[in-house]
Amino acid sequence: DAELEQIEAWWRTLEGTSIPLPTILRFLVALPRRREEVMQALWSDYDPKKHTLLLRDTKHPTTPRDELVPVPPDAQAILARMPRTSGRIFPYRGASVSDAFQRAAKMCEIHDVTLHDLRHEGISRLFEAGLNIPEVSLISGHSSWASLKRYTQIQPSHVLEKLKR
């Protein structure tokens, strides 16, 4: 969070930037999906009553598919504050968002970090919140534990804390 706050603070000092980078970064942690899936998401596919988002043509090992994804509360709160200025929730090119993030990280002297690292962080937070593998994969879009586990940083202390509850 400290690094995200540092990047957000630096970004807010810029003038004339059209990309709401702080909002996008927080959303990518709250709903840890692939960058392009989020950048292509449509307001018309978001159901604020059911808290679901239909993501279209998502990545899959064999064929693209549409996925109905539960939107976690932090992501819901972000969406509730956003203006609806376009058909797309985030009407920006994914590469532009990644470039903006890399530039901000460099200016803040935060090294060895990519936009994709936010997906790792978001997935880890879902596990830390107590979600199980099928629940996390429903949000993250991973079709197997083998592909999902590389995103997790489950620690023995987390397991012990959960067992104590």
Side-chain angles (χ1 to χ4, degrees), residues 27 30 46 51 71-82:
F27 190 81
Y46 175 58
H51 308 295
V71 179
D74 288 350
Q76 293 171 30
I78 292 167
L79 292 175
R81 293 189 304 266
M82 289 180 53

Side-chain angles (χ1 to χ4, degrees), residues 43-107:
W43 281 112
S44 59
D45 289 335
Y46 175 58
D47 186 337
K49 289 186 172 86
K50 293 182 180 177
H51 308 295
T52 58
L53 177 62
L54 180 65
L55 296 175
R56 299 181 182 276
D57 296 325
T58 63
K59 184 179 174 185
H60 185 267
T62 55
T63 55
R65 61 185 177 190
D66 293 347
E67 294 179 61
L68 188 61
V69 179
V71 179
D74 288 350
Q76 293 171 30
I78 292 167
L79 292 175
R81 293 189 304 266
M82 289 180 53
R84 294 183 181 216
T85 58
S86 170
R88 288 182 14 219
I89 295 171
F90 296 105
Y92 308 97
R93 288 181 47 244
S96 298
V97 173
S98 289
D99 291 346
F101 177 76
Q102 286 306 128
R103 187 174 88 190
K106 182 178 179 182
M107 295 306 293

Side-chain angles (χ1 to χ4, degrees), residues 5-149:
E5 289 170 11
Q6 189 179 355
I7 288 170
E8 291 168 358
W10 179 82
W11 190 258
R12 288 189 178 103
T13 66
L14 301 179
E15 292 185 26
T17 59
S18 62
I19 296 174
L21 190 64
T23 301
I24 294 171
L25 299 182
R26 292 293 175 175
F27 190 81
L28 289 171
V29 172
L31 183 67
R33 296 295 299 209
R34 291 171 189 86
R35 176 191 74 186
E36 292 307 319
E37 293 171 358
V38 171
M39 293 302 112
Q40 296 302 317
L42 302 172
W43 281 112
S44 59
D45 289 335
Y46 175 58
D47 186 337
K49 289 186 172 86
K50 293 182 180 177
H51 308 295
T52 58
L53 177 62
L54 180 65
L55 296 175
R56 299 181 182 276
D57 296 325
T58 63
K59 184 179 174 185
H60 185 267
T62 55
T63 55
R65 61 185 177 190
D66 293 347
E67 294 179 61
L68 188 61
V69 179
V71 179
D74 288 350
Q76 293 171 30
I78 292 167
L79 292 175
R81 293 189 304 266
M82 289 180 53
R84 294 183 181 216
T85 58
S86 170
R88 288 182 14 219
I89 295 171
F90 296 105
Y92 308 97
R93 288 181 47 244
S96 298
V97 173
S98 289
D99 291 346
F101 177 76
Q102 286 306 128
R103 187 174 88 190
K106 182 178 179 182
M107 295 306 293
C108 293
E109 298 181 2
I110 300 170
H111 306 287
D112 298 324
V113 66
T114 67
L115 191 68
H116 190 72
D117 292 330
L118 299 180
R119 183 163 157 84
H120 289 259
E121 178 63 24
I123 290 170
S124 293
R125 289 181 185 193
L126 294 174
F127 279 115
E128 289 168 8
L131 273 63
N132 61 36
I133 294 167
E135 293 165 339
V136 172
S137 68
L138 183 63
I139 294 171
S140 71
H142 290 93
S143 57
S144 72
W145 169 238
S147 62
L148 180 60
K149 71 179 174 182

